[in-house]
Amino acid sequence: MDRYTPDSSAGADNGVPEVHIAALEKKIAMLESRASFAEQQSKALEVALESARAGCWEWDRDSDTIRIDRQWAVISGIVPGRFDALTLEEWRELCHPDDLGTVAKSIDEYLNGNGELLEFELRVRHDGDGWIRVLDRGKITRRDPYGKPSLLAGSRQIITDRLDAGESRAKKAQEELQALIDHIPGAVYHIDMAGQTTIRSSPPEFLKALASGHQGTPLFNTLSMIHHDDRHMVAGAYSKLKEAPQSRTLVYRIVTPEGGVRWIEDHMKSSFSDDGLFSGIDGLLCEITDRINGLEEAQRLESQLRKSQRLETIGTLAGGIAHDFNNILTPILGYAEMGLSSTGEEDPMHEYFAEITQAVERAQKLVGQILTLAGQKRVRPCL
């Protein structure tokens, strides 16, 4: 700024007192000093905002325009100089659509007198396809004649760079972990110190109806889904787990709301704090009904096989006895027939030989039945 230096001679010719001229020079010097200081302050503020990665904005509610500075444009991914002011619609297009509802609520609450400072976080578009998280702060700087806010001014500051890089990777890892947990063929659960049970995975089919009714309920109530013959065993296991860090695996039955019975394999592990205090039980419930049914079927088939083997053994033994018995009967029958042929009907011995013959023939029929049951052919041994 060029400093104005009045000509004293001209002042004298024009009749202006020199004291007035000196006062005017002093006033001009003071204004120049203030202008220089204001310029320095403006540059310092600009540097400070840039160092803090913050920008300034001013929202004129009468025209619904938002005036921005260079640093605000840089933060929001706008080419500096492209916009000096944004319409409200252009400002919304830079914001993440999921955050607009929360932002609008914060602004409404502030304008209605709730709070001395407007403050909210949101995600804004950056470089076309990325998002960063920023913090906006502002205050009312002007009101209309009716007392309604007409002008707000504030700042925008970056909180975290590039959600796509760090946060999205963390979110993706969390989603992958949850997907892995949800695909476990069972139910991951946690029981806290108060005995509250929480299902941490997507409940499998066998537990969906039960989980909706028992999730977050006390342990003893949760035990109500367990078959009454198995409750004492499960409650005892939980008591042991609370005494010291350990792992246990139990197999028990649960009763479905329809009255059906399912077999469960429960893998449990207790955890304790550094002070040695019980902090909870983590576990995995797996349905093993098909496995149990398979084992029962295998046991039934094994029992049938053993029974069949016993019958086969008995049949073999019976067949051997029958053969031996038949060999004993054969000579008896032969001698009885010889006695019949050597005596007449009037001879008393004839009737005795006839009775012996009939008895032997009945015995041989019984031997034949035993051999048939034993799966052997009847063989008439030769004398």
Side-chain angles (χ1 to χ4, degrees):
M1 178 182 295
D2 295 332
R3 183 174 178 179
Y4 170 72
T5 306
D7 189 348
S8 60
S9 61
D13 294 340
N14 293 331
V16 179
E18 291 186 3
V19 62
H20 289 172
I21 294 174
L24 181 61
E25 288 180 341
K26 186 177 181 180
K27 186 72 172 180
I28 291 173
M30 183 180 66
L31 291 175
E32 287 180 347
S33 176
R34 287 181 179 179
S36 176
F37 180 75
E39 185 178 357
Q40 292 175 4
Q41 288 290 93
S42 177
K43 289 182 179 179
L45 177 61
E46 184 179 350
V47 171
L49 289 173
E50 187 173 353
S51 300
R53 307 181 76 180
C56 295
W57 54 266
E58 192 175 57
W59 177 20
D60 188 339
R61 299 191 69 217
D62 294 334
S63 61
D64 260 346
T65 56
I66 301 173
R67 290 182 289 274
I68 59 175
D69 68 353
R70 178 182 177 278
Q71 185 62 18
W72 194 101
V74 171
I75 291 173
S76 303
I78 302 174
V79 177
R82 181 180 172 187
F83 293 105
D84 291 329
L86 302 172
T87 65
L88 203 57
E89 188 59 35
E90 288 173 332
W91 180 86
R92 287 194 184 99
E93 289 177 357
L94 296 173
C95 302
H96 196 290
D98 294 344
D99 296 340
L100 287 175
T102 305
V103 171
K105 182 179 178 182
S106 298
I107 294 175
D108 289 342
E109 290 178 351
Y110 174 71
L111 294 178
N112 289 328
N114 297 324
E116 297 181 357
L117 180 69
L118 173 64
E119 184 175 81
F120 55 83
E121 293 183 15
L122 75 157
R123 290 164 289 180
V124 297
R125 194 177 300 280
H126 195 82
D127 294 341
D129 59 351
W131 299 96
I132 60 171
R133 190 178 296 278
V134 298
L135 174 64
D136 273 19
R137 292 190 179 100
K139 295 193 74 171
I140 299 170
T141 58
R142 187 181 69 201
R143 295 180 181 270
D144 63 15
Y146 301 100
K148 293 184 179 180
S150 60
L151 188 69
L152 288 85
S155 65
R156 166 166 290 183
Q157 187 174 10
I158 294 177
I159 298 177
T160 56
D161 289 333
R162 284 286 185 183
L163 297 178
D164 290 337
E167 188 171 306
S168 66
R169 282 199 299 268
K171 184 178 180 181
K172 183 178 179 182
Q174 184 178 2
E175 290 174 350
E176 289 177 350
L177 177 61
Q178 187 61 44
L180 179 63
I181 292 175
D182 289 340
H183 282 83
I184 293 176
V188 179
Y189 70 89
H190 175 74
I191 302 175
D192 61 19
M193 292 182 292
Q196 298 290 329
T197 304
T198 305
I199 303 297
R200 287 181 166 173
S201 63
S202 178
E205 197 64 35
F206 77 91
L207 201 59
K208 280 184 178 178
L210 291 168
S212 62
H214 293 86
Q215 183 170 352
T217 57
L219 172 62
F220 192 76
N221 290 343
T222 306
L223 286 174
S224 63
M225 71 180 181
I226 300 174
H227 195 281
H228 60 85
D229 291 342
D230 298 336
R231 289 179 196 170
H232 181 72
M233 172 188 66
V234 177
Y238 281 123
S239 298
K240 292 292 185 183
L241 287 167
K242 292 179 180 180
E243 295 175 358
Q246 55 183 295
S247 300
R248 285 183 173 239
T249 299
L250 296 181
V251 175
Y252 54 84
R253 292 160 291 178
I254 61 173
V255 181
T256 64
E258 298 80 17
V261 175
R262 302 289 185 91
W263 283 92
I264 300 297
E265 188 174 69
D266 192 350
H267 303 271
M268 302 170 287
K269 187 178 189 304
S270 57
S271 56
F272 287 74
S273 66
D274 295 337
D275 298 333
L277 299 176
F278 172 74
S279 58
I281 297 173
D282 295 292
L284 173 64
L285 294 175
C286 299
E287 184 185 6
I288 58 170
T289 303
D290 291 341
R291 190 199 308 175
I292 294 295
N293 291 339
L295 289 173
E296 290 178 348
E297 179 65 15
Q299 290 174 353
R300 186 182 65 82
L301 293 175
E302 185 179 355
S303 176
Q304 289 182 345
L305 177 62
R306 286 198 298 267
K307 183 178 180 181
S308 176
Q309 290 173 339
R310 285 197 301 269
L311 290 174
E312 184 178 356
T313 302
I314 292 172
T316 302
L317 179 61
I321 294 172
H323 277 296
D324 291 340
F325 188 50
N326 190 58
N327 291 337
I328 295 172
L329 293 175
T330 300
I332 296 174
L333 179 61
Y335 285 116
E337 288 175 346
M338 290 173 60
L340 280 175
S341 62
S342 61
T343 58
E345 292 184 1
E346 68 283 355
D347 191 333
M349 295 299 296
H350 185 82
E351 184 178 355
Y352 297 154
F353 287 125
E355 290 292 336
I356 293 172
T357 302
Q358 292 176 6
V360 171
E361 289 176 350
R362 288 196 301 270
Q364 286 183 331
K365 289 180 181 180
L366 180 60
V367 170
Q369 293 176 356
I370 294 174
L371 292 174
T372 301
L373 290 174
Q376 301 180 21
K377 294 182 180 180
R378 180 177 178 181
V379 181
R380 186 181 182 92
C382 299
L383 293 174

